[in-house]
Amino acid sequence: MAFTPLHDRVLVRRIESDETTKGGLIIPESAKEKPAEGEIVSCGAGARKDSGELIPMDVKAGDKVLFGKWSGTEVKIDGEDLLIMKESDILGIL
């Protein structure tokens, strides 16, 4: 993939949720919510302070993360649906 996010942005691939409940009921496609869990595909270099000093990223490619339901911008890169979001939109690393 030839895409690298800039500054404190990350490229995330959603991780699909289970298609059945714990009780064994099958969830139809129309009732599924978009997953709020994903894997970091690539990261920018990090944000910069007013002095120009680089603030390193807390996440790296390969990390599994949780993010807000409405976070990020959906993009299609190389035929794959991905999200671009700021590092601050990530709620935590799994």
Side-chain angles (χ1 to χ4, degrees):
M1 180 173 306
F3 180 83
T4 303
L6 297 177
H7 309 295
D8 64 339
R9 289 183 175 81
V10 295
L11 188 63
V12 177
R13 176 183 300 118
R14 287 186 193 267
I15 297 175
E16 295 300 321
S17 59
D18 293 337
E19 296 186 11
T20 58
T21 64
K22 290 181 182 179
L25 297 174
I26 297 174
I27 303 169
E29 199 64 39
S30 60
K32 285 186 183 176
E33 290 188 13
K34 289 183 179 179
E37 188 176 320
E39 179 181 355
I40 304 288
V41 176
S42 63
C43 298
R48 294 209 177 260
K49 295 181 182 178
D50 290 336
S51 64
E53 183 183 344
L54 186 67
I55 303 169
M57 301 283 277
D58 289 329
V59 295
K60 62 186 179 307
D63 284 349
K64 291 188 180 180
V65 295
L66 287 176
F67 49 88
K69 187 183 282 191
W70 306 108
S71 298
T73 302
E74 294 181 355
V75 294
K76 188 169 241 162
I77 300 175
D78 295 337
E80 186 176 9
D81 291 325
L82 302 168
L83 290 167
I84 297 174
M85 65 181 70
K86 287 189 161 257
E87 183 184 30
S88 60
D89 290 339
I90 296 172
L91 304 174
I93 301 172
L94 296 173

